[in-house]
């Protein structure tokens, strides 16, 4: 009995020793793991940036000093906040307000310099020829950079976000929706939406108010047009969905600066909760529309419809029926519907807004454009075939998009070690082209680069700049050029023709010149104008 108790005590002692050994091993393993993670973290935020800085310095490329973890993000945000905190004089010299980091740092470090977006090295390159080379790359050296999580949530896995084979597959499906025959069919939708807007303007003038904010009016117009062209018979549902998307986009813009706070997007703040709710509601509404179209396409003689959604789903079905058997999932179709709105509505809305603002600022060009419209279109609604005959209007729109491009910068991630313009760039770095600054560059466009002179495009885009035939590439270049660029130009021309036929306009005394940028450039404080009805005693156009 005594022996057995002794044996039990010895066994317990051995177990205690064993347990202590296991605990020690676990703590040792945890310590090793912590050291490894700390080492990797230190390498990522200190040692690697130090080596990359030396790599570029050896090639004569310098830039603002790297700050651990944040890079130059805080300085970049400070420059933006200071520039947008106050309006500017009525001038087209807008680079210092919209893209302040480039004139500030390029004066110190040269036209090509290295800056840091967090721990990510970003080579800022001055030169549209090099931008064309990057956009036209077919070797896979450059890819789209990763979008921040909030913007990724907004856009989904759509054409704007994708790269590589997946992008090529989506592009193949989207392209037929923007063929010439499809665009011709869309003109009537664009005209109908514009008629509705102008009828509202006529009531404003008749009531003696005369002032409208064209920034808001153009948003409403382009949203209406994209709802009609994207969803056709489901137009009202489309308008509701796009209204929700506009709210989600507004929340994303408000939270953009806060993304430098780790895990911010996961915290249950009021705006985050609202963003999550909107995202869920938008997805459910689009999914319902897509399922209805799928049933209609397979069970009725009407097919999928002639709108953008119907055209896309028809192409998807054809691919599913072919040998490749590759279509898109419902989630991917939802992402492309979001892209229709965000890329189509925002770009065209701001393009049209600035076109009206610049014509209000330059009444001589407004009158020249109106005279041309009168000769080519008379008082009739514009037709697809006549719009290309409007040479003066085309020159004006080229100058508008040069001075106020929707996309102010162009960025790509270096997918493998490469050389650009004689500079060796390591894999993982980003290349940023400040396109707005390039479009205002006096060495490229002349001493009058900041002046509104549409005549510089009298011989076309290729001869407008001093020495670069592709100095103006607002819709991208090569395979990655914007699939909807002809749609945007067509919609802008239709709206401007109909506005010029009915109204003359000047800037309101309350107009504040404050262009700024989030995704696309827009007037920060709106764009109020004063309208005068040219045919107040005649029937409407």
């Amino acid at each position: 009995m005594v022996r057995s108790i002794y044996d039990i005590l010895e066994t317990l002692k051995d177990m205690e020793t064993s347990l202590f050994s296991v605990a020690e091993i676990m703590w040792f393993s945890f310590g090793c793991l912590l050291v490894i993670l700390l080492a990797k973290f230190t390498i990522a935020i200190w040692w690697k940036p130090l080596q990359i800085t030396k790599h570029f310095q050896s090639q004569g490329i310098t830039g603002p000093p790297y700050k651990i973890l944040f890079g130059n993000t805080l300085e970049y945000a400070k420059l933006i906040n200071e520039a947008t905190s106050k309006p500017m004089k009525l001038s087209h010299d807008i680079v210092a307000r919209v893209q302040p980091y480039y004139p500030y740092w390029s004066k110190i470090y040269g036209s090509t310099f290295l800056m840091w977006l967090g721990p990510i090295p970003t080579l800022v390159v001055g030169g549209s020829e090099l931008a064309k080379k990057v956009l036209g790359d077919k070797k896979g050296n450059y890819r789209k950079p990763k979008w921040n999580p909030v913007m990724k949530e907004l856009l989904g896995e759509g054409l704007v976000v994708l790269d590589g084979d997946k992008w090529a597959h989506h592009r193949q499906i989207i392209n037929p929706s923007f063929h010439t025959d499809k665009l011709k069919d869309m003109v009537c939708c664009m005209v109908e939406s514009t008629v509705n807007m102008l009828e509202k303007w006529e009531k404003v003038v008749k009531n003696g108010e005369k002032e409208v904010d064209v920034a808001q009016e153009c948003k409403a117009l382009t949203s209406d047009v994209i709802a009609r062209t994207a969803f056709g018979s489901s137009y009202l549902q489309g308008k509701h969905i796009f209204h929700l998307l506009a709210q989600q986009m507004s929340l994303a813009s408000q939270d953009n600066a806060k993304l430098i706070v780790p895990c911010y997007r996961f915290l249950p703040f009021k705006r985050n909760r609202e963003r999550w709710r909107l995202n869920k509601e938008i997805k459910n509404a689009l999914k319902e529309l897509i399922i209805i179209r799928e049933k209609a396409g397979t069970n009725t003689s009407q097919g999928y419809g002639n709108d953008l959604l119907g055209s896309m789903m028809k192409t998807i079905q054809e691919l599913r029926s072919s040998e490749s058997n590759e279509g898109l999932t419902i989630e991917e179709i939802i992402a492309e519907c979001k892209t229709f709105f965000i890329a189509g509505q925002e770009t065209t809305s701001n393009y049209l807004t600035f076109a009206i603002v610049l014509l209000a600022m330059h009444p001589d060009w407004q009158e020249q454009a109106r005279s041309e419209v009168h000769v080519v279109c008379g008082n009739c609604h514009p037709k697809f075939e006549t719009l290309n005959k409007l040479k003066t209007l085309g020159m004006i729109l080229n100058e508008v998009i040069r001075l106020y491009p929707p996309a102010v910068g162009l960025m790509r991630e270096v997918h493998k070690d490469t050389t650009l313009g004689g500079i060796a760039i390591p894999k993982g770095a980003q290349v940023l082209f400040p396109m707005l600054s390039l479009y205002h560059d006096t060495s490229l466009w002349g001493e009058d680069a900041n002046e509104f002179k549409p005549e510089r495009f009298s011989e076309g885009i290729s001869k407008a700049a001093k020495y670069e035939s592709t100095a103006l590439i607002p819709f991208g270049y090569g395979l990655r050029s914007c699939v909807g660029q002809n749609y945007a130009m067509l919609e802008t021309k239709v709206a401007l023709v109909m506005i010029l036929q009915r109204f003359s306009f000047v800037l309101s005394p309350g107009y504040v010149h404050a262009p700024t940028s989030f995704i696309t450039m827009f007037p920060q404080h709106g764009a109020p104008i004063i309208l005068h009805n040219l045919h107040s005693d005649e029937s409407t156009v």
Side-chain angles (χ1 to χ4, degrees):
M1 181 69 176
V2 173
R3 183 64 185 170
S4 59
I5 293 173
Y6 176 80
D7 291 341
I8 291 170
L9 290 173
E10 284 296 314
T11 302
L12 289 173
K13 185 178 178 182
D14 291 342
M15 286 177 67
E16 182 181 10
T17 304
S18 178
L19 285 171
F20 274 117
S21 299
V22 170
E24 287 171 357
I25 291 169
M26 288 177 66
W27 276 109
F28 178 75
S29 300
F30 177 75
C32 289
L33 180 62
L34 195 62
V35 168
I36 291 169
L37 290 174
L38 187 61
K40 285 187 174 183
F41 183 70
T42 303
I43 288 169
I45 69 164
W46 175 74
W47 186 83
K48 193 173 181 181
L50 182 65
Q51 298 307 308
I52 290 173
T53 298
K54 290 179 179 179
H55 168 79
F56 280 107
Q57 284 177 344
S58 69
Q59 301 178 79
I61 305 295
T62 58
Y66 170 76
K67 305 289 194 309
I68 288 179
L69 193 61
F70 293 105
N72 306 122
T73 307
L74 299 179
E75 299 159 88
Y76 177 91
K78 184 181 178 182
L79 288 169
I80 295 286
N81 290 336
E82 287 177 353
T84 55
S85 64
K86 53 188 180 296
M88 59 177 288
K89 64 180 182 178
L90 207 58
S91 161
H92 305 310
D93 188 3
I94 65 172
V95 174
R97 187 179 203 279
V98 181
Q99 208 168 47
Y101 72 89
Y102 188 74
Y104 180 76
W105 280 326
S106 64
K107 283 179 183 177
I108 303 171
Y109 305 110
S111 61
T112 296
F113 58 87
L114 179 69
M115 73 174 187
W116 294 83
L117 298 178
I120 302 172
T122 304
L123 185 68
V124 184
V125 180
S128 55
E129 278 296 318
L130 292 177
K132 186 183 77 170
K133 183 176 180 181
V134 167
L135 289 173
D137 171 63
K138 296 180 181 179
K139 298 179 180 178
N141 292 330
Y142 306 95
R143 292 190 176 179
K144 282 264 185 135
K146 295 179 180 65
W147 289 72
N148 72 52
V150 170
M151 289 307 302
K152 190 77 177 287
E153 175 187 84
L154 184 64
L155 289 162
E157 291 288 326
L159 197 64
V160 173
V161 174
L162 297 174
D163 226 321
D165 292 340
K166 204 167 185 180
W167 168 84
H169 178 56
H170 279 240
R171 178 84 178 210
Q172 179 190 7
I173 289 170
I174 302 301
N175 261 337
S177 301
F178 294 95
H179 285 172
T180 302
D181 58 331
K182 295 290 184 183
L183 292 175
K184 284 181 180 179
D185 293 338
M186 293 177 192
V187 171
C188 61
C189 294
M190 296 171 181
V191 167
E192 186 176 354
S193 295
T194 308
V195 164
N196 292 338
M197 180 183 74
L198 297 184
E199 286 177 351
K200 189 174 77 171
W201 288 12
E202 284 171 352
K203 290 177 182 177
V204 169
V205 174
K206 190 175 181 180
N207 292 336
E209 297 174 26
K210 295 189 176 182
E211 181 174 301
V212 297
D213 182 355
V214 290
Q216 293 304 316
E217 293 293 307
C218 290
K219 276 187 178 181
L221 171 65
T222 53
S223 181
D224 195 74
V225 170
I226 196 71
R228 290 179 191 274
T229 54
F231 296 116
S233 60
S234 310
Y235 157 72
L236 292 177
Q237 295 99 308
K239 281 202 76 169
H240 174 65
I241 291 166
F242 288 157
H243 175 68
L244 297 176
L245 265 169
Q247 292 180 52
Q248 189 185 11
M249 189 169 176
S250 175
L251 290 171
S253 69
Q254 293 173 50
D255 287 340
N256 192 47
K258 296 179 181 178
L259 292 176
I260 59 172
V261 180
C263 301
Y264 170 80
R265 71 185 192 277
F266 299 117
L267 301 176
F269 294 124
K270 183 179 178 180
R271 280 212 294 262
N272 280 348
R273 294 198 309 272
E274 179 64 7
R275 209 180 65 246
W276 300 336
R277 183 192 69 78
L278 286 169
N279 193 50
K280 185 177 179 180
E281 187 174 349
I282 290 163
K283 279 189 173 184
N284 288 339
L286 282 169
K287 187 176 182 179
E288 184 180 335
L289 267 181
I290 292 163
I291 291 171
I292 290 171
R293 287 295 184 92
E294 281 187 332
K295 289 179 180 177
T298 54
N299 299 330
T300 70
S301 58
Q302 294 178 350
Y304 295 99
N306 294 321
D307 49 28
L308 289 172
L309 177 60
S311 176
M312 179 169 63
M313 293 187 70
K314 182 183 176 184
T315 306
I316 290 168
Q317 184 56 41
E318 288 171 352
L319 285 172
R320 283 174 179 166
S321 303
S322 66
E323 292 182 4
S324 64
N325 195 30
E326 290 184 20
L328 295 182
T329 66
I330 285 183
E331 285 292 321
E332 288 173 322
I333 298 172
I334 287 172
E336 293 305 346
C337 288
K338 287 182 172 184
T339 302
F340 283 157
F341 174 76
I342 294 166
Q345 192 264 358
E346 280 294 310
T347 299
T348 312
S349 167
N350 293 321
Y351 186 17
L352 178 57
T353 296
F354 281 117
I356 295 171
V357 167
L358 266 63
L359 287 175
M361 291 170 66
H362 302 278
D364 53 333
W365 280 102
Q366 183 184 150
E367 193 51 46
Q368 284 188 55
R370 184 175 291 107
S371 298
E372 181 184 61
V373 166
H374 179 71
V375 171
V376 175
C377 302
N379 283 331
C380 299
H381 291 155
K383 294 180 173 60
F384 182 85
E385 292 75 19
T386 59
L387 290 170
N388 286 332
K389 297 177 183 178
L390 298 167
K391 183 180 178 183
T392 299
L393 188 61
M395 289 160 48
I396 289 168
L397 288 175
N398 282 334
E399 184 70 337
V400 170
I401 210 166
R402 180 186 74 83
L403 290 170
Y404 296 83
V408 301
L410 189 157
M411 187 180 286
R412 290 291 183 270
E413 182 182 306
V414 178
H415 188 57
K416 50 190 175 184
D417 292 352
T418 189
T419 301
L420 179 67
I423 302 170
I425 309 173
K427 175 184 176 181
Q430 294 181 150
V431 181
L432 172 62
F433 297 93
M435 302 310 294
L436 176 66
S437 298
L438 296 176
Y439 295 157
H440 287 251
D441 186 351
T442 54
S443 68
L444 190 57
W445 298 96
E447 293 303 315
D448 58 1
N450 290 314
E451 296 177 29
F452 181 70
K453 288 195 170 182
E455 63 266 32
R456 73 175 84 242
F457 291 99
S458 59
E459 296 182 61
I461 292 177
S462 62
K463 296 183 180 180
K466 281 187 175 181
Y467 55 84
E468 291 186 18
S469 61
T470 52
L472 185 67
I473 48 173
F475 292 103
Y477 177 83
L479 293 174
R480 295 252 15 178
S481 61
C482 175
V483 69
Q485 61 179 298
N486 292 331
Y487 175 98
M489 291 297 293
L490 184 65
E491 184 181 354
T492 304
K493 282 185 178 180
V494 167
L496 275 180
V497 165
M498 296 178 70
I499 292 169
L500 289 166
Q501 285 174 326
R502 179 53 58 188
F503 296 97
S504 64
F505 44 91
V506 295
L507 290 178
S508 164
Y511 173 77
V512 177
H513 197 48
T516 191
S517 179
F518 174 73
I519 301 181
T520 57
M521 196 194 303
F522 64 96
Q524 186 177 352
H525 304 298
I529 62 169
I530 303 296
L531 294 168
H532 173 66
N533 194 334
L534 297 171
H535 307 284
S536 55
D537 298 325
E538 301 174 17
S539 60
T540 58
V541 173

